[in-house]
Amino acid sequence: MTQYNPWRFCVAPMLDWTDRHCRYFHRQLSRHARLYTEMVTTGAIIYGDKARHLNFNKEEHPVALQLGGSDPKDLALCAKIAQDWGYDEINLNCGCPSERVQRGSFGACLMAEPQLVADCCKAMQDAVDIDVTVKHRIGIDKVEDYGFVRDFVGTLYEAGVRTFIVHTRNAWLKGLSPKENREVPPLRREVAFDLKRDFPTATIVINGQVDTLELAEELLQKVDGVMMGRAAYKTPWVLSDVDARLFADMHPVASREELIEIMTQYIRRETPTDSHVPRATAKAMIGLLQGLAGARFYRRTLSDPAAFAETGTQVLKAAFASAGWGERLTDDRRDDDEF
């Protein structure tokens, strides 16, 4: 089988979404997608409950831990802890624009201090043997000069970083919410293409409104990898085609009905040690029937506290039944509402 770049297709780190239950579900849909945790701050790991922040299922590999921080010593310590925990990659967040993150002096505001970021990456590289990567924007505020992001990447490249995940919008540090920062600043994918031209031996992964595999295939003609974000949780079934279309791996993929069974068994396995698992897993799977008739009833059941109280670990099956599917899952009718 062809050896593809390990970052050819990635699912983005998304706060409040890509927890271990979501990643386990996504892994059932794709063997090859590279999965990322939600951002975890260095303080949470050093001073908090390490297991709560770092535990993952062995099935999730390859899985990367995204760190938030700006102190080289703290980042190096957390990188070493993460490597010992079994992670395959450490990713430094230099793209989050939220004011809370800025107050912690990390995220997108770090793009204004490329040498500090280089020092952080070098400290982590010295501490671990796994890959240290950076996820960043193409500019901050209204600085749209290509030279800004080129020099940022160049400084990190000189420090030994070889993989860059490029969210191709600027981060506006004032005046926009994180949601608006994903929508208002113009999408400028050509910046990622220019970075690949100027750093041909670096791995350039493009992120930002990659919502179909058709677009992913198109972008892969110009960069090394793509990272899909919200489309992966709004329409997770898109991941079921990733291995065949992007990795030429034609292995059988579980049907939606089989996924309901697999994830029900997962809930039953995990709930005895964590009572939040049914709700967390249901949240990750709420888009499974998106676009199909009955999806509204499925979502309604998974959003109803009474359904969890009544059905417990069988809630996914109850929701699936409420949608009226099962053997009729090949029906080509469409739902009449929006997710």
Side-chain angles (χ1 to χ4, degrees):
M1 184 178 293
T2 303
Q3 292 296 309
Y4 289 98
N5 188 297
W7 290 272
R8 183 170 173 83
F9 183 88
C10 310
V11 177
M14 291 177 282
L15 197 62
D16 296 328
W17 282 99
T18 51
D19 59 20
R20 66 186 182 94
H21 315 296
C22 179
R23 298 191 304 267
Y24 183 89
F25 168 51
H26 286 170
R27 182 58 70 217
Q28 308 312 308
L29 291 160
S30 169
R31 295 176 179 176
H32 299 285
R34 199 168 186 91
L35 304 180
Y36 285 74
T37 70
E38 306 167 89
M39 182 186 68
V40 183
T41 65
T42 54
I45 294 174
I46 295 171
Y47 305 109
D49 184 341
K50 291 181 178 59
R52 183 169 72 86
H53 293 297
L54 296 178
N55 278 356
F56 63 92
N57 304 284
K58 65 181 187 302
E59 294 88 350
E60 293 173 38
H61 290 293
V63 59
L65 173 68
Q66 186 181 69
L67 283 176
S70 58
D71 181 274
K73 290 182 180 179
D74 287 352
L75 285 164
L77 173 59
C78 290
K80 181 63 167 63
I81 292 170
Q83 176 175 270
D84 293 344
W85 218 271
Y87 281 93
D88 302 295
E89 171 192 340
I90 304 298
N91 177 259
L92 181 63
N93 185 320
C94 292
C96 182
S98 82
E99 292 189 9
R100 180 176 63 84
V101 166
Q102 291 177 53
R103 287 195 294 271
S105 299
F106 57 93
C109 63
L110 281 177
M111 291 192 70
E113 301 183 73
Q115 189 55 56
L116 173 59
V117 178
D119 292 343
C120 290
C121 292
K122 186 66 168 60
M124 289 188 285
Q125 290 168 333
D126 289 345
V128 300
D129 301 318
I130 57 179
D131 290 294
V132 174
T133 67
V134 175
K135 187 174 188 293
H136 61 90
R137 296 288 187 122
I138 57 174
I140 51 177
D141 297 320
K142 296 192 178 181
V143 177
E144 296 187 351
D145 176 23
Y146 171 66
F148 176 83
V149 67
R150 180 202 60 211
D151 292 349
F152 176 80
V153 169
T155 300
L156 304 191
Y157 190 89
E158 289 179 2
V161 178
R162 290 296 179 268
T163 300
F164 300 86
I165 301 170
V166 187
H167 185 156
T168 52
R169 296 183 193 271
N170 273 35
W172 292 5
L173 301 180
K174 299 292 181 183
L176 293 182
S177 69
K179 180 180 185 297
E180 290 170 329
N181 256 294
R182 297 192 297 268
E183 300 168 352
V184 175
L187 193 67
R188 295 187 292 135
R189 294 192 175 114
E190 67 276 7
V191 174
F193 307 153
D194 290 343
L195 287 171
K196 183 59 187 175
R197 178 200 65 209
D198 290 343
F199 299 93
T201 58
T203 293
I204 303 295
V205 181
I206 194 167
N207 173 228
Q209 212 169 314
V210 179
D211 50 13
T212 67
L213 295 188
E214 289 80 6
L215 176 57
E217 289 172 324
E218 179 184 330
L219 294 172
L220 284 169
Q221 302 301 310
K222 297 182 179 180
V223 292
D224 304 292
V226 296
M227 175 174 274
M228 179 177 285
R230 275 145 185 84
Y233 79 71
K234 285 189 173 182
T235 55
W237 190 247
V238 69
L239 301 180
S240 68
D241 279 338
V242 164
D243 293 356
R245 292 183 62 168
L246 302 185
F247 294 90
D249 185 346
M250 307 304 292
H251 67 85
V253 178
S255 68
R256 289 180 178 87
E257 188 166 14
E258 289 168 335
L259 283 168
I260 293 292
E261 179 61 34
I262 290 168
M263 296 307 296
T264 295
Q265 293 303 317
Y266 172 79
I267 290 173
R268 291 180 64 186
R269 183 186 86 194
E270 296 291 322
T271 298
T273 56
D274 185 351
S275 62
H276 296 98
V277 169
R279 288 181 182 274
T281 305
K283 178 182 177 182
M285 297 181 65
I286 202 165
L288 180 62
L289 300 188
Q290 176 64 12
L292 296 174
R296 186 167 23 135
F297 300 99
Y298 171 83
R299 293 196 301 270
R300 184 180 299 163
T301 301
L302 294 185
S303 302
D304 181 5
F308 287 90
E310 181 179 346
T311 63
T313 60
Q314 301 296 305
V315 68
L316 296 178
K317 291 186 175 182
F320 198 60
S322 74
W325 279 112
E327 294 180 358
R328 297 192 295 108
L329 202 51
T330 56
D331 193 322
D332 62 1
R333 293 173 299 160
R334 293 295 181 264
D335 205 4
D336 60 359
D337 64 342
E338 293 292 330
F339 182 22

